[in-house]
Amino acid sequence: MIEILPMEDKAQEQELLSQVVAAGPEARVLSMREKGAVLGWTAVELAESTLRILALRAGNYDFSRQPQGDEIFILDSLMRSAASYGETFGAEKIETAFPDFFGFFKARGFDFDEFHAFTPMSTIVKYKFH
């Protein structure tokens, strides 16, 4: 079973966040695991009504080429989980802290410029249960 949850091991979370230049004190890590093994992770931060994706990692994928197969599945799942996390805390927009790589976010309905990708939360989170 694959799970994506906020990281419970605070030391491990801080170690990952130390690799993220844009991470502030409120940044959190969501990790994707299968049978205890980390498949990927994303660092996120809420800034007013915006969820910022600070980092997105899938195994050894290094963004030097177009993601493929499982890499796409992991990156997409993490992006969607980040959006759900943000929506839970009232975010109305989602943006990245890095440029859109290989049109990954554009293919999912995001707008983009040379610095980052961005979209209303409703692009990703279709239903609200309040």
Side-chain angles (χ1 to χ4, degrees):
M1 176 171 59
I2 295 176
E3 298 178 307
I4 302 177
L5 299 167
M7 190 162 277
E8 292 178 358
D9 182 333
K10 295 301 178 193
Q12 185 180 19
E13 181 176 54
Q14 288 307 309
E15 180 182 325
L16 293 174
L17 288 172
S18 72
Q19 302 170 32
V20 180
V21 175
E26 300 301 316
R28 292 296 318 263
V29 172
L30 305 176
S31 64
M32 182 175 189
R33 298 175 179 266
E34 182 175 37
K35 297 179 182 174
V38 175
L39 303 175
W41 59 275
T42 183
V44 298
E45 184 174 61
L46 290 164
E48 297 178 18
S49 65
T50 302
L51 175 83
R52 297 185 68 224
I53 298 176
L54 306 172
L56 198 56
R57 304 286 189 268
N60 294 325
Y61 177 66
D62 65 1
F63 303 97
S64 63
R65 58 173 172 70
Q66 183 99 13
Q68 301 173 13
D70 285 347
E71 295 162 343
I72 294 170
F73 170 73
I74 293 168
L75 294 170
D76 186 71
S77 297
L78 287 167
M79 181 272 301
R80 292 177 187 286
S81 292
S84 292
Y85 175 87
E87 199 277 332
T88 297
F89 291 99
E92 297 172 6
K93 299 178 282 186
I94 185 170
E95 66 179 33
T96 65
F98 47 86
D100 187 10
F101 54 94
F102 303 103
F104 177 83
F105 291 96
K106 179 182 178 185
R108 284 146 185 87
F110 283 65
D111 292 317
F112 62 95
D113 58 26
E114 62 188 276
F115 304 108
H116 71 306
F118 48 93
T119 193
M121 191 62 73
S122 61
T123 302
I124 305 303
V125 180
K126 302 294 183 185
Y127 302 100
K128 290 186 178 185
F129 300 99
H130 294 286

